Amino acid sequence: RMVAVVEAAGTGSEAGGSSESGNATGSGSGWRRPHGPLQRYYGPSVAEAAEAAPDPADINGPHFDPEVFLTKVRSECRLGELLSREATLGREIRALDSDMQTLLYENYNKFISATDTIRKMKVDFRRMEAEMDDLASNMAAISASSARVSAALQDRHRRGAQLAGVQALLRKLQSLVEVPGRLRRWAAPGADPARALHCYARARAVLRHYRHLPSFRAIEDESHSIMAELAQRLRARLREDTLDPKELTECVEMLLQLEEPPEELCEEFLSQAGARLEAELAALEAELPPSDPSGTASTPPPASDILDFVDRGSSAFVSNLCLLAASYRSLFEGHPGAGDGRLEAFASTLTTRYFELLERRLALERGLGDTSLLVRALDRFHRRLRALLELLPAAGAEAGAALVARAARERVARYLRALQTFFLGCLGDVRQALAAPRPPGKDGPGLPDLLATLSSSILGQLKAVLAYVQLFTARDVAFASLPYFKGEFCVEAVREGLVVAFVRWLCRTARGFADSPAERGAPAAPPALLLLLARLCLDYEATTISYILTLTDEQFPPEDTGPAVTPGPALCAEARGAAQRLLDHYVQVQGAAVAQMLRKSVETRDWLGTVEPRNVRAVMKRVVEDITAIDVQVGQLFEEGVRRAQSSDSSRRAFSVYSSSRAPGRYAPSYTPSAPMDTHLLSNIQKLFSERIDIFSPVEFNKVSVLTGIIKISLKTLLECVRLRTLGRFGLQQVQVDSHYLQLYLWRFAADERVVQGLLDEVAASAAHRCLDPVPMEHSVVELICERG
């Protein structure tokens, strides 16, 4: 390649000649770097060639084609441009030739020096080849010597191994000879029997293998005699009562290593472990009072809480039972006659007794106590029992879960009784507040305040109880994952057994106050209490029951496939029924109280010999006052209600002693003694055309309905009492005055004034019918007396 470059440079120099030198001289730019021409000569790099698209018209490209280039130039350039391009190419060729000559001249000495160097390197290479041949000869001699040395070393190692084997055999023989002495020293009382067993186990196979040799037979017999004595001592120790589970396991394990019968060791192991576990159960039973089947004897309170009792039972009995079960499995696993269910029967008997003791201890938790303490105790019991069940699945899994479930149900039942006691206590406080004497000028707590206090106290207590019961289903409690606590406990124990049962009991208890005292065997409840309980039950029907059930379902969500639950509307219907019964009874009680006054006032008066009326009787004023007080009392808890439109002259209406359908101004003046009429006939005709009044119809939950019911009972009693009396003229006029007075004030309390008017008309008509001299008083005089009264 260098020769080609030189030839090309010479050719270019001859072709360029003076033109190149003239160009260089004329330019005056000096020597230029040859990188551009060399690059154009050698072509672009591989990467550049790969990146550039092939262009045969590119004169500097690797794909240059002269024919394509000339064709393109002729077709695209004019003549002047062709001449200019020719001149430019000529200059570039001459510059390239000049650069090549310069490169050759500058590197000529280097070419000569490289040639000399190559010649010297060839001489050195031949000398190195000769030296390598000598070195190879020497290496072959060394390899032969190394092989001889290796053979000698292998022979020496083999002889050393034989010698080591002989020495090891001598040591083994020496150790076998020393076995009886070691066994006697380690198997002695108070020594290290485990080490003796280890030594005997290592020597036993060798002694049995060489037993046909007299010397080895003697060593074996002596060793066997020593280990037999050790076995006897271990047997005696196995029967001691002071062994703990770990020592018992070690003792049985050593006896098994001495090849004692596993069946016998199994029986002794269970007997010894059973005695120790029975002692622990006896210690737990000693903390409990003796059981009294009759339940008449008073039980003293336990000395420690339930958590301490469970801790002692778990750390002592359950832990030792787990340890003994694990030891039994590790000792007798695989031995014939030891895996026939003895351990399961043994553990089942003991756990059953332990469950009975725990049941007795839980029965002593008579009060509510600390529920979190009970939950922690049951959780700890369940966790230890679960560890035991991993070793012994048949050790009472169902019985343990049932025990926890019964304890939870019993605590829920106690909370129900506590809620009932709390409600009765709240009722006692309300009755005391209603009956407490009030100093003059000071009003006691109103019915709305008492109702709010009672309702909030009951609801707050119920929420607190639900929070305590929710501890049984907390996430960190192990037994909360049992199927019972995920479904049945939430529905049957809490929702139905606690919440629904309490609401129903509350409704029954409240409704019981509406029963007669003869049936209840207790004094009648005050009317204000009846009214307050009716409002409480009505509030429960409206909002409280729905809120309580929603809260319970959120805290204790029932399963979709769980047992059926009591629907909320059914409870609301029971609460509304209790409220209706209480309100009806309130009307009857208050109506009976007013009626009693009216009855006594009629029965104790001489209606034949009475004087001409000048005033309204005091009892009528008392009736109006009592009705007004009842109106205020009922208005504190119930809404006003809807009244029928009143007539414009309700307070001014007069009474006819003959007919309620006739106005006094029209018919009363027509009555004179000279015009006798059959008043009985007129009364019967009046009843045919008057609307029938139902005295004891159910009342609605509003004030006007309640007052209407009380007024109907009162006036009906007045009517019946008047029908049983015989009146004179002035007695009839007194009834006329009293009836007008009642009409003036009672119509505003009733839902329909026609009820009051109709009953008072019947009173006046009955009085006229029972009067011997039925001469009524002038209406103006009646109004004057009533206004003055």
Side-chain angles (χ1 to χ4, degrees):
R1 183 178 179 86
M2 188 176 296
V3 174
V5 172
V6 173
E7 290 177 356
T11 305
S13 177
E14 291 175 359
S18 60
S19 175
E20 176 66 27
S21 62
N23 186 21
T25 304
S27 63
S29 60
W31 179 81
R32 63 174 67 90
R33 297 177 63 88
H35 300 294
L38 285 176
Q39 184 177 6
R40 288 193 297 271
Y41 178 79
Y42 289 106
S45 62
V46 178
E48 294 176 351
E51 293 177 359
D55 187 7
D58 186 6
I59 195 171
N60 295 321
H63 304 283
F64 176 69
D65 187 353
E67 293 297 333
V68 175
F69 177 75
L70 290 176
T71 302
K72 181 179 180 182
V73 170
R74 284 197 301 267
S75 62
E76 295 179 355
C77 299
R78 293 188 293 273
L79 180 60
E81 293 177 351
L82 290 175
L83 293 176
S84 175
R85 176 66 63 86
E86 180 185 8
T88 301
L89 290 176
R91 287 194 300 271
E92 290 180 355
I93 292 171
R94 288 192 295 273
L96 182 61
D97 290 341
S98 177
D99 290 340
M100 288 184 178
Q101 288 179 359
T102 302
L103 179 63
L104 180 61
Y105 294 154
E106 287 179 352
N107 294 283
Y108 180 76
N109 292 332
K110 296 180 181 179
F111 293 153
I112 298 301
S113 299
T115 303
D116 295 339
T117 302
I118 292 171
R119 188 181 298 111
K120 293 179 181 180
M121 289 176 63
K122 288 181 178 179
V123 175
D124 294 338
F125 181 72
R126 294 190 186 96
R127 184 171 62 251
M128 289 175 63
E129 285 182 346
E131 292 177 354
M132 290 297 292
D133 292 339
D134 296 340
L135 181 60
S137 300
N138 294 333
M139 290 298 294
I142 292 173
S143 297
S145 300
S146 297
R148 290 193 296 272
V149 172
S150 177
L153 290 175
Q154 290 178 359
D155 183 62
R156 182 177 178 182
H157 179 70
R158 186 167 50 255
R159 292 179 182 179
Q162 293 175 354
L163 180 60
V166 172
Q167 291 177 350
L169 182 58
L170 291 176
R171 285 195 298 271
K172 289 181 179 180
L173 291 175
Q174 180 64 29
S175 61
L176 288 175
V177 172
E178 296 176 353
V179 164
R182 293 177 179 176
L183 293 179
R184 190 175 292 107
R185 183 172 65 253
W186 292 333
D192 191 357
R195 193 172 181 182
L197 284 171
H198 180 68
C199 177
Y200 181 69
R202 293 179 60 186
R204 181 166 47 190
V206 179
L207 292 176
R208 288 182 179 178
H209 184 72
Y210 295 101
R211 195 173 187 280
H212 59 282
L213 300 177
S215 57
F216 284 93
R217 185 183 304 113
I219 295 174
E220 184 187 12
D221 293 342
E222 186 177 358
S223 300
H224 184 71
S225 176
I226 296 171
M227 299 312 290
E229 294 177 0
L230 177 60
Q232 292 178 0
R233 288 196 297 271
L234 291 175
R235 287 272 191 176
R237 187 184 178 192
L238 185 62
R239 299 182 181 91
E240 296 178 358
D241 297 335
T242 58
L243 286 180
D244 58 18
K246 183 178 180 182
E247 294 174 346
L248 177 63
T249 302
E250 292 175 353
C251 185
V252 174
E253 185 178 7
M254 288 188 289
L255 287 172
L256 287 173
Q257 292 177 7
L258 291 173
E259 298 182 349
E260 293 292 320
E263 295 81 3
E264 298 179 4
L265 292 178
C266 174
E267 291 293 340
E268 293 187 11
F269 178 84
L270 292 180
S271 175
Q272 182 67 18
R276 183 174 184 84
L277 293 174
E278 287 285 352
E280 293 172 352
L281 291 177
L284 290 176
E285 189 174 9
E287 300 181 12
L288 303 176
S291 58
D292 182 20
S294 62
T296 56
S298 60
T299 304
S304 59
D305 56 42
I306 184 64
L307 183 59
D308 292 338
F309 185 85
V310 173
D311 278 340
R312 283 193 293 274
S314 300
S315 60
F317 173 77
V318 180
S319 298
N320 289 337
L321 185 57
C322 292
L323 180 59
L324 291 171
S327 301
Y328 184 93
R329 292 284 175 83
S330 63
L331 290 174
F332 301 105
E333 192 74 30
H335 289 282
D340 53 357
R342 297 181 184 179
L343 177 62
E344 287 74 11
F346 168 79
S348 178
T349 303
L350 291 173
T351 51
T352 301
R353 186 180 173 193
Y354 175 63
F355 292 163
E356 293 175 355
L357 294 177
L358 188 56
E359 286 271 16
R360 289 174 54 188
R361 178 58 185 82
L362 289 171
L364 298 178
E365 297 289 314
R366 301 187 183 279
L368 293 177
D370 189 357
T371 302
S372 61
L373 199 66
L374 176 63
V375 173
R376 287 170 56 196
L378 294 176
D379 179 58
R380 197 160 301 177
F381 162 76
H382 181 73
R383 291 178 186 272
R384 293 296 180 90
L385 182 62
R386 189 167 56 183
L388 177 62
L389 294 177
E390 292 178 359
L391 297 172
L392 298 170
E398 296 181 358
L403 187 149
V404 176
R406 283 195 300 272
R409 284 197 302 269
E410 178 61 26
R411 181 50 61 96
V412 172
R414 289 177 182 172
Y415 273 122
L416 175 60
R417 292 192 291 271
L419 283 174
Q420 295 171 353
T421 305
F422 180 80
F423 176 72
L424 294 178
C426 291
L427 287 185
D429 295 340
V430 170
R431 297 185 71 162
Q432 184 177 2
L434 292 174
R438 298 176 177 84
K442 292 185 179 180
D443 296 334
L447 290 181
D449 297 336
L450 293 176
L451 176 64
T453 303
L454 178 63
S455 180
S456 62
S457 300
I458 297 172
L459 188 59
Q461 190 72 8
L462 183 58
K463 287 182 178 180
V465 167
L466 289 178
Y468 286 131
V469 176
Q470 198 176 13
L471 295 175
F472 288 97
T473 59
R475 294 183 178 179
D476 57 345
V477 177
F479 61 80
S481 60
L482 294 174
Y484 171 78
F485 285 94
K486 288 184 177 181
E488 187 178 351
F489 177 76
C490 296
V491 175
E492 295 185 357
V494 179
R495 192 185 191 276
E496 298 296 319
L498 178 64
V499 177
V500 174
F502 174 69
V503 172
R504 283 179 167 170
W505 177 88
L506 185 147
C507 294
R508 289 195 304 269
T509 303
R511 188 169 187 149
F513 285 98
D515 298 335
S516 61
E519 295 177 2
R520 292 179 52 84
L529 181 63
L530 298 174
L531 192 66
L532 188 144
L533 290 177
R535 181 74 250 186
L536 177 67
C537 292
L538 193 63
D539 291 343
Y540 266 63
E541 182 262 341
T543 58
T544 308
I545 290 178
S546 176
Y547 172 74
I548 292 174
L549 293 181
T550 303
L551 179 65
T552 305
D553 292 339
E554 289 177 355
Q555 295 182 356
F556 302 90
E559 293 182 338
D560 297 335
T561 59
V565 298
T566 303
L571 284 180
C572 293
E574 293 184 19
R576 188 174 185 86
Q580 185 68 57
R581 180 69 183 90
L582 287 165
L583 198 59
D584 291 344
H585 187 64
Y586 175 80
V587 170
Q588 295 171 9
V589 170
Q590 295 288 59
V594 177
Q596 181 70 8
M597 290 190 300
L598 292 173
R599 185 178 64 84
K600 289 184 177 180
S601 69
V602 173
E603 292 177 352
T604 58
R605 189 177 183 87
D606 183 10
W607 294 97
L608 288 174
T610 184
V611 298
E612 184 178 1
R614 293 292 181 263
N615 293 301
V616 179
R617 290 191 299 155
V619 67
M620 298 302 167
K621 298 179 180 180
R622 176 67 183 276
V623 167
V624 173
E625 291 175 359
D626 288 354
I627 295 295
T628 304
I630 294 173
D631 178 77
V632 174
Q633 187 181 68
V634 176
Q636 294 180 11
L637 298 178
F638 290 91
E639 293 77 11
E640 181 70 22
V642 179
R643 298 177 184 272
R644 187 167 181 172
Q646 309 293 336
S647 63
S648 59
D649 60 343
S650 297
S651 61
R652 291 292 178 179
R653 184 181 181 277
F655 290 92
S656 170
V657 296
Y658 302 112
S659 174
S660 62
S661 61
R662 298 176 297 174
R666 181 179 178 184
Y667 293 99
S670 65
Y671 173 77
T672 60
S674 60
M677 297 183 65
D678 189 354
T679 58
H680 182 68
L681 177 62
L682 292 177
S683 177
N684 291 333
I685 294 174
Q686 171 200 355
K687 292 180 180 179
L688 289 175
F689 292 97
S690 63
E691 183 179 355
R692 182 178 180 275
I693 299 174
D694 189 0
I695 303 300
F696 296 99
S697 60
V699 297
E700 299 177 2
F701 295 101
N702 56 70
K703 185 178 70 172
V704 295
S705 179
V706 173
L707 269 296
T708 301
I710 296 173
I711 292 172
K712 287 192 298 184
I713 294 175
S714 304
L715 297 183
K716 182 65 175 178
T717 302
L718 177 62
L719 172 62
E720 297 300 328
C721 291
V722 169
R723 284 177 177 174
L724 298 178
R725 310 303 295 179
T726 302
L727 292 78
R729 176 189 297 182
F730 297 137
L732 173 62
Q733 294 177 359
Q734 185 66 55
V735 170
Q736 186 180 1
V737 171
D738 292 344
S739 299
H740 186 73
Y741 181 81
L742 293 177
Q743 166 62 22
L744 289 176
Y745 294 100
L746 293 186
W747 68 269
R748 69 194 69 201
F749 299 113
D752 187 359
E753 65 174 340
R754 292 180 302 176
V755 173
V756 179
Q757 294 171 1
L759 289 174
L760 291 175
D761 282 350
E762 290 188 16
V763 170
S766 297
H769 178 70
R770 297 292 297 175
C771 182
L772 299 178
D773 185 14
V775 178
M777 182 178 289
E778 291 294 333
H779 181 63
S780 59
V781 179
V782 172
E783 288 184 346
L784 181 62
I785 293 174
C786 291
E787 290 177 358
R788 187 177 58 189

